[in-house]
Amino acid sequence: MTLDVSSAPIASDTTDHAPPAGTPAAPPATAPAGRAHALLAHDLPASLAVFLIAVPFALGIALATGAPLTAGLVSAAVGGLVAGALGGTHLQVSGPSAALTVVTAGLIAQYGWPTACLVTVAAGLLQLLLGALRVARAALAVSPAVVHGMLAGVGLTIAIAQLHVILGGRPHSSALADLLSLPGELAGPHPPALLVGLLALAVLYGWPRLGRLPGAAGRIGARLGRLPAALVAVAAATALSVAAELRLARVELPVWEHHRFFSMPAPGPLAAHWATLLGLVLTVAAVAGVESLLSSVAVDRMTRRSGDLNRELRAQGAANLLSGLLGGLPVAGGAVRSTANVQAGAASRMSAVLHGCWVLLAALVLTAGLRRIPLAALAALVLVVGVQMVSFAHIRRVHRHREFPVYLATVLGVVLLGVPLGVLLGGSVAVLLALYRLTRAHVDVLAEADGSYTVRTHGPLTFAAVPKLSRALGGVPAGARVTVHHDGSFLDHAAYEALHAWRTAHRGTGAQVSMLTDRQGRDVLDPDGTVRAGSSPGPHRCRAWTPWVGHHCIEQREEDPHVRLLDGVRGFQQHTAPLVRQELARLARDGQTPSQLFLTCADSRMVTSMITSSGPGDLFTVRNVGNLVPAPHEPGAADDSVAAAVQYAVEVLEVASITVCGHSGCGAMKALLDGVTEQDGPPTALARWLRNGRGSLARLHRAPAEFEGRPAVDVVERLCVTNVVQQLDQLMANPAVERRVAEGSLRLVGMYFDFATAQAYVLDAATGRFAPVHAEQPQELAA
């Protein structure tokens, strides 16, 4: 569940999310004559919207770190004025760093505020140096599981600590101490603080959802929802506490004459703890830098602009340098402020600069009003920020990429050991996991029915896998015929020598050994790459879809579909086009000569070339909703496009087979069962088309198709396979098909694909059932 504390999701404050659906593109850069208009029409309103989010957020972060509350306002103002004016990402808005809350809190508690300011200044100088060395892109090479684990660990630590404030207590020095003392706080909370905190939490959760109310209330709620939830929550909690005259802790905002600017700490403690402080400087610079750069990437995606990350890193360094000198918190770019800036229609960096001006003005003029804010309200805001730093989308993503151990180790390390040691622990687990995957190999020995053996290896064969490989090969009986299949992964010299020595010894017993060890089916142990007779497992030796597994495009579902499509085209031009250009040129010269017509559903999950291991020129494909073949006798449902394609394939291309392929979970079959063709009123285009499936519906009640060895999962699956049989019958109504089938030069094939199990089935004419296609042995496709 995601809680929004502004018009943009706070969870994205430290992440590289794709732009939310409906996010408007930034207005184009304006000419000099139009800059004044852009400033008034776009940047000024956007700066006010960001300002309303930034002030409570800055106070909340300062509260969570234990710093003077004025330090939060200083960092927000400096982030807007300095980073906004100098940054390489035009619409990025910077302010106090949420990701550094735990680090800063520990730094202040252990070494004091002057040392914290010194560390911020030194981190800023280091960021300036790194930006000058142009290493910003290298900073993004950190494992995403470590980055998101760090943010989640920081978020949990923040949330646990602020829960104490909401209950009327004070947080302790560590997350573990906070957890241990939490039962006592829950047993005796401070009622006024708890009431104010719960009200703020309720507003933070409910305010963005007012637009979802039905009727006029929803329309009014949508208009009210334009106000930032964070501002409304703090205002409502403050109003309640003042109106009810509640006695509880409030913001202690000192007058600016008493603000603690930078002062050099005593040299003795610095000399005694120089190594620890150096580590803290590196941590602050690295975490703030990575947070800012990830936010920059996210903003560039939203605005479809290309920013300068090295310039952005230098700007963040300058902002941290000045913020430390002025007594402010560490500064970083944040996607929550930046997303709000983009959604409010900002056109240039002036919106961020103006937002800094408004923060500075509020800090000087509105101090009396800010002092009325209850600490419990700010704690509720920061608690929500912390909870949203634990992103379930990121958890699913790292789990999908098998990086969850890294994520979990980082989260636990940050919570229990602190940010530096937690990140070190997560990075160490990431390295160990990578080494494990690089050295792990599977070796399977299969005894065939004819007495031969098949040895299949998966993964990189390195020196670490040689013992396992030798044991597996040693189990093959002397004299047995052996085929070794390697999946084409890395093969180092030690594994090469082991395979070569075993093959030589095994052939010495009079046995035949075939080694298929690369993706073209060649014997990599032979210098000429010749394939021995009988060694090829079949006509399909390529693994064209292996690179697609885990491809980044399946993760970016919130990205602009057109951008994703063009990214795919660019990937084709870069990686695939050079490999297929020669074959496509031949097809362009000679024309197409497909051997099969493949008629299947338009469902996006149905990738014909993947499940048939086919390539350009192999299949003449026809796709429609429900893989239907209109019957000439079906009243009001005839369609000539399919008949024309069938006639062209049969008479002009002279294909040798026609396959009708259905699939599981077909929406067209569900619609037929729901009676879409029988609804009252004028039929829609979809209803008219689905009339071509009424024969399948009738056949379902008369003679449904069945599977070999298992029942249909439900009535929808039973109709899906029955529909394939019915469409084969309706194909025979085409005179060209009927003639070729009678001549014996054309065969009809029924096929079904189950997505959940990635299993294909073919219709066996002898039994009338759909039998599974097995990888181990060839299977005849029966008409």
Side-chain angles (χ1 to χ4, degrees):
M1 181 179 296
T2 301
L3 306 181
D4 295 343
V5 298
S6 70
S7 57
I10 260 202
S12 64
D13 187 59
T14 52
T15 60
D16 54 340
H17 288 302
T23 297
T30 54
R35 287 177 182 170
H37 171 75
L39 178 65
L40 295 176
H42 298 288
D43 292 330
L44 182 60
S47 69
L48 291 172
V50 178
F51 158 73
L52 295 177
I53 297 170
V55 170
F57 187 79
L59 292 173
I61 295 297
L63 171 68
T65 60
L69 296 186
T70 49
L73 298 175
V74 168
S75 59
V78 171
L81 293 169
V82 177
L86 303 179
T89 304
H90 288 74
L91 301 187
Q92 167 124 294
V93 182
S94 300
S97 169
L100 282 169
T101 301
V102 176
V103 174
T104 308
L107 175 59
I108 295 172
Q110 186 171 358
Y111 298 104
W113 178 242
T115 304
C117 292
L118 177 62
V119 168
T120 302
V121 170
L125 291 172
L126 180 57
Q127 286 180 324
L128 282 169
L129 175 62
L130 295 175
L133 296 176
R134 308 186 66 82
V135 298
R137 288 287 177 186
L140 298 178
V142 183
S143 167
V146 174
V147 173
H148 297 310
M150 177 196 71
L151 296 177
V154 170
L156 288 174
T157 305
I158 291 173
I160 296 169
Q162 297 312 301
L163 187 56
H164 283 272
V165 180
I166 293 175
L167 294 172
R170 297 182 64 86
H172 298 78
S173 59
S174 68
L176 186 59
D178 285 329
L179 281 173
L180 294 176
S181 62
L182 193 57
E185 294 281 1
L186 291 171
H190 184 245
L194 182 60
L195 176 63
V196 167
L198 291 177
L199 174 63
L201 288 174
V203 174
L204 289 169
Y205 177 81
W207 190 259
R209 291 160 175 79
L210 292 178
R212 303 179 187 178
L213 297 174
R219 292 191 292 272
I220 296 174
R223 288 193 290 269
L224 292 175
R226 295 174 184 173
L227 287 173
L231 176 67
V232 177
V234 172
T238 303
L240 173 65
S241 67
V242 171
E245 299 182 352
L246 299 178
R247 301 183 63 182
L248 73 173
R250 300 183 186 273
V251 168
E252 298 178 0
L253 197 66
V255 295
W256 284 102
E257 289 81 359
H258 298 156
H259 173 69
R260 301 178 65 183
F261 291 93
F262 172 79
S263 60
M264 195 66 185
L270 292 181
H273 301 95
W274 68 269
T276 303
L277 293 176
L278 179 60
L280 287 171
V281 170
L282 296 174
T283 300
V284 171
V287 174
V290 171
E291 182 182 5
S292 300
L293 296 177
L294 290 177
S295 175
S296 295
V297 172
V299 173
D300 284 342
R301 289 176 181 170
M302 281 186 266
T303 60
R304 298 175 181 83
R305 293 182 179 179
S306 179
D308 185 340
L309 294 184
N310 289 296
R311 178 179 173 180
E312 183 65 36
L313 185 58
R314 293 193 297 271
Q316 295 296 331
N320 274 305
L321 174 61
L322 185 59
S323 179
L325 291 174
L326 295 178
L329 293 169
V331 172
V336 61
R337 297 175 289 256
S338 304
T339 302
N341 194 35
V342 173
Q343 291 181 334
S348 72
R349 65 176 71 249
M350 283 305 299
S351 60
V353 175
L354 287 173
H355 131 270
C357 295
W358 307 140
V359 172
L360 182 60
L361 184 63
L364 296 174
V365 177
L366 302 179
T367 53
L370 295 177
R371 291 192 184 101
R372 295 177 177 269
I373 298 175
L375 293 185
L378 293 180
L381 170 62
V382 180
L383 184 146
V384 171
V385 172
V387 170
Q388 291 186 338
M389 290 171 73
V390 185
S391 170
F392 288 101
H394 290 143
I395 294 175
R396 288 192 297 269
R397 190 172 303 171
V398 297
H399 186 268
R400 185 180 300 122
H401 290 286
R402 299 182 298 165
E403 297 284 338
F404 187 74
V406 178
Y407 179 90
L408 183 61
T410 308
V411 171
L412 294 177
V414 168
V415 171
L416 299 177
L417 305 175
V419 174
L421 292 178
V423 171
L424 181 62
L425 176 62
S428 301
V429 173
V431 171
L432 292 176
L433 186 61
L435 290 175
Y436 170 72
R437 289 173 177 169
L438 286 174
T439 57
R440 184 183 62 169
H442 294 285
V443 182
D444 301 317
V445 179
L446 306 174
E448 306 294 347
D450 60 358
S452 65
Y453 284 79
T454 299
V455 179
R456 295 185 179 275
T457 65
H458 310 278
L461 288 179
T462 65
F463 66 92
V466 168
K468 180 187 294 185
L469 179 64
S470 299
R471 285 195 301 269
L473 295 175
V476 177
R481 182 165 58 88
V482 181
T483 301
V484 179
H485 292 271
H486 182 47
D487 63 1
S489 298
F490 178 71
L491 182 73
D492 78 351
H493 185 71
Y496 173 93
E497 291 291 345
L499 277 172
H500 186 79
W502 173 83
R503 182 177 65 170
T504 302
H506 197 70
R507 282 181 174 173
T509 66
Q512 178 184 353
V513 180
S514 300
M515 287 193 168
L516 308 176
T517 54
D518 73 351
R519 293 180 179 178
Q520 283 71 43
R522 296 176 300 181
D523 188 342
V524 85
L525 299 184
D526 287 339
D528 60 356
T530 304
V531 182
R532 283 180 170 75
S535 66
S536 174
H540 297 293
R541 302 172 191 161
C542 61
R543 295 171 180 258
W545 284 93
T546 301
W548 176 83
V549 178
H551 192 269
H552 73 279
C553 70
I554 66 176
E555 310 292 344
Q556 301 172 352
R557 299 191 178 183
E558 296 181 0
E559 186 177 294
D560 186 335
H562 178 65
V563 174
R564 188 164 69 245
L565 178 66
L566 288 182
D567 284 343
V569 174
R570 294 187 188 99
F572 165 80
Q573 293 297 150
Q574 180 179 0
H575 302 293
T576 310
L579 304 177
V580 300
R581 186 170 287 118
Q582 183 176 357
E583 175 63 12
L584 291 179
R586 184 192 66 79
L587 290 171
R589 181 178 65 252
D590 300 341
Q592 62 170 329
T593 56
S595 60
Q596 305 170 58
L597 165 61
F598 199 89
L599 195 153
T600 190
C601 186
D603 193 293
S604 62
R605 299 167 294 178
M606 195 68 184
V607 185
T608 57
S609 56
M610 179 173 68
I611 66 174
T612 61
S613 298
S614 56
D618 291 341
L619 302 180
F620 185 74
T621 307
V622 176
R623 305 186 69 151
N624 60 52
V625 176
N627 46 276
L628 300 176
V629 180
H633 57 270
E634 184 67 34
D639 182 280
D640 288 337
S641 64
V642 177
V646 171
Q647 182 180 357
Y648 183 80
V650 172
E651 296 185 347
V652 178
L653 299 177
E654 297 182 340
V655 297
S657 71
I658 300 178
T659 299
V660 177
C661 183
H663 65 86
S664 59
C666 182
M669 299 302 105
K670 294 178 182 178
L672 281 172
L673 289 169
D674 291 340
V676 68
T677 61
E678 308 300 330
Q679 294 177 354
D680 297 332
T684 63
L686 180 60
R688 286 196 301 272
W689 169 253
L690 290 180
R691 287 176 178 174
N692 295 296
R694 289 189 293 195
S696 302
L697 204 56
R699 192 183 195 112
L700 175 68
H701 302 297
R702 185 179 71 252
E706 297 179 352
F707 289 97
E708 183 72 42
R710 74 168 180 89
V713 173
D714 52 25
V715 67
V716 175
E717 186 174 54
R718 189 175 296 111
L719 180 56
C720 288
V721 291
T722 302
N723 178 61
V724 171
V725 179
Q726 179 65 27
Q727 301 313 309
L728 290 173
D729 285 354
Q730 292 180 191
L731 264 175
M732 289 296 291
N734 187 300
V737 173
E738 184 181 20
R739 183 181 67 255
R740 289 277 309 278
V741 170
E743 294 172 354
S745 60
L746 177 68
R747 60 186 320 186
L748 305 184
V749 178
M751 187 173 175
Y752 174 80
F753 189 76
D754 180 44
F755 292 131
T757 60
Q759 177 63 57
Y761 298 80
V762 292
L763 178 62
D764 188 340
T767 63
R769 297 172 181 265
F770 282 82
V773 178
H774 298 293
E776 292 79 12
Q777 53 189 357
Q779 181 161 344
E780 185 72 14
L781 298 181

